[in-house]
């Protein structure tokens, strides 16, 4: 059976804050095969870190749960899906607003979704209350390069 | 994390030596607040020379320390910020409160006021 994607990987880990660096470094190493620039790698690492932090702080509210990451490579683009089975987001539009945070007492900046949106080329957020949240991000690598 | 306090200038320099995310912020926050409360600096400088990664958790953490130092009239600034991290700072607008000083200054050397 031929796969629709050229390469893909799946990752599952516990919602512990020490796994944040593990998650972003793993995704960055997987993306390396597309030969990204240092800036593109930094963008992806930051976006993944934001999404995983959201799962830990907001999705599971520091309780233990499983965070899943799926990465798919197609041509020169990478699709990253990060999902949790946490409490879900009530109002996605409000959550995406810059500087909005549901946890101001924790010194959160409210910049998470804004950074994901501007560092990646596409961002989609799906959420069901009590079921979980899935963030899908896409980035085209080596935009300047023309493929024949 | 290396901390240096210059008594003469009342300048506290905190050199962060790890990636800044939600996980590492707790530790940095605790140590920084402890040092700030002991010294009550007029000037707090975060040295980013050894920081290769920062997400938005770092912004929240820095604003928290900025507020603390501001309570007794101190100023906060950043030095040696790498381009990838500068991008995160620029997006957040936090540089209006906590500017990046262009001059490379190590330890407790006097830092010229940034315009």
């Amino acid at each position: 059976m031929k796969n629709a994607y050229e390469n893909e990987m799946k990752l599952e880990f516990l919602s512990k804050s020490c796994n944040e660096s593990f998650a972003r470094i793993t995704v960055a190493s997987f993306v390396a095969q597309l030969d990204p620039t240092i800036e593109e790698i930094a963008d992806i690492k930051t976006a993944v870190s934001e999404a995983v932090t959201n799962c830990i702080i907001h999705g599971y509210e520091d309780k233990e749960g499983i965070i899943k990451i799926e990465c798919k490579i197609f041509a020169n683009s990478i699709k990253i899906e990060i999902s949790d089975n946490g409490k879900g987001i009530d109002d996605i539009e409000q959550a995406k607003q810059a500087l909005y945070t549901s946890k101001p007492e924790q010194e959160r900046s409210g910049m998470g979704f804004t950074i994901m949106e501007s560092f990646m080329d596409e961002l989609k957020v799906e959420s069901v209350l009590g079921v979980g949240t899935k963030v899908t991000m896409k980035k085209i690598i080596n935009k300047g390069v023309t493929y024949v | 994390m290396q901390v240096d306090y210059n008594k003469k200038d009342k300048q506290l320099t905190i050199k962060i030596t790890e990636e800044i995310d939600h996980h590492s912020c707790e530790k940095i926050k605790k140590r920084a607040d402890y040092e700030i409360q002991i010294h009550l600096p007029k000037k707090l400088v975060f040295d980013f020379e050894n920081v290769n990664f920062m997400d938005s958790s770092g912004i929240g953490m820095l604003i928290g320390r900025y507020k603390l130092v501001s309570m007794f009239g101190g100023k906060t600034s950043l030095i040696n910020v790498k381009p990838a991290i500068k991008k995160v700072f620029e997006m957040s607008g936090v540089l209006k409160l906590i500017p990046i000083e262009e001059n490379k200054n190590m330890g407790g050397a006097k830092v010229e006021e940034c315009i």
Side-chain angles (χ1 to χ4, degrees), chain A residues 47-103:
Chain A
V48 169
S49 197
E50 298 294 349
V52 171
T53 306
N54 276 352
C55 297
I56 294 172
I57 302 180
H58 300 287
Y60 292 119
E61 296 191 298
D62 295 319
K63 289 190 268 300
E64 218 160 78
I66 296 280
I67 298 172
K68 286 181 197 164
I69 299 185
E70 276 190 55
C71 291
K72 289 165 182 167
I73 284 175
F74 186 73
N76 61 332
S77 73
I78 173 95
K79 188 165 114 180
I80 306 167
E81 288 177 9
I82 301 178
S83 57
D84 65 56
N85 302 109
K87 70 167 196 171
I89 304 170
D90 185 20
D91 185 343
I92 293 176
E93 283 317 305
Q94 185 186 42
K96 280 166 90 174
Q97 263 174 38
L99 305 178
Y100 171 80
T101 175
S102 55
K103 298 199 187 304

Side-chain angles (χ1 to χ4, degrees), chain A:
Chain A
M1 195 184 88
K2 197 177 179 320
N3 203 316
Y5 293 95
E6 283 163 14
N7 198 359
E8 55 180 278
M9 70 98 164
K10 284 178 193 171
L11 193 65
E12 281 190 20
F13 52 92
L14 279 183
S15 62
K16 290 176 182 286
S17 67
C18 58
N19 284 335
E20 289 160 4
S21 60
F22 162 72
R24 63 175 179 262
I25 290 165
T26 308
V27 173
S29 337
F30 184 71
V31 178
Q33 59 193 288
L34 290 175
D35 196 19
T37 61
I38 292 170
E39 191 181 359
E40 285 163 341
I41 280 282
D43 288 352
I44 290 168
K45 275 170 83 177
T46 313
V48 169
S49 197
E50 298 294 349
V52 171
T53 306
N54 276 352
C55 297
I56 294 172
I57 302 180
H58 300 287
Y60 292 119
E61 296 191 298
D62 295 319
K63 289 190 268 300
E64 218 160 78
I66 296 280
I67 298 172
K68 286 181 197 164
I69 299 185
E70 276 190 55
C71 291
K72 289 165 182 167
I73 284 175
F74 186 73
N76 61 332
S77 73
I78 173 95
K79 188 165 114 180
I80 306 167
E81 288 177 9
I82 301 178
S83 57
D84 65 56
N85 302 109
K87 70 167 196 171
I89 304 170
D90 185 20
D91 185 343
I92 293 176
E93 283 317 305
Q94 185 186 42
K96 280 166 90 174
Q97 263 174 38
L99 305 178
Y100 171 80
T101 175
S102 55
K103 298 199 187 304
E105 74 283 357
Q106 282 190 23
E107 291 192 344
R108 306 302 310 166
S109 64
M111 292 297 296
F113 279 124
T114 312
I115 287 179
M116 288 182 238
E117 216 158 20
S118 48
F119 283 21
M120 304 294 277
D121 291 316
E122 270 176 45
L123 170 73
K124 192 170 80 183
V125 185
E126 298 156 286
S127 190
V128 179
L129 276 182
V131 178
T133 303
K134 181 160 98 177
V135 171
T136 308
M137 301 182 281
K138 216 169 149 182
K139 191 170 180 72
I140 299 163
I141 304 296
N142 286 318
K143 261 188 209 161
V145 182
T146 37
Y147 287 86
V148 186

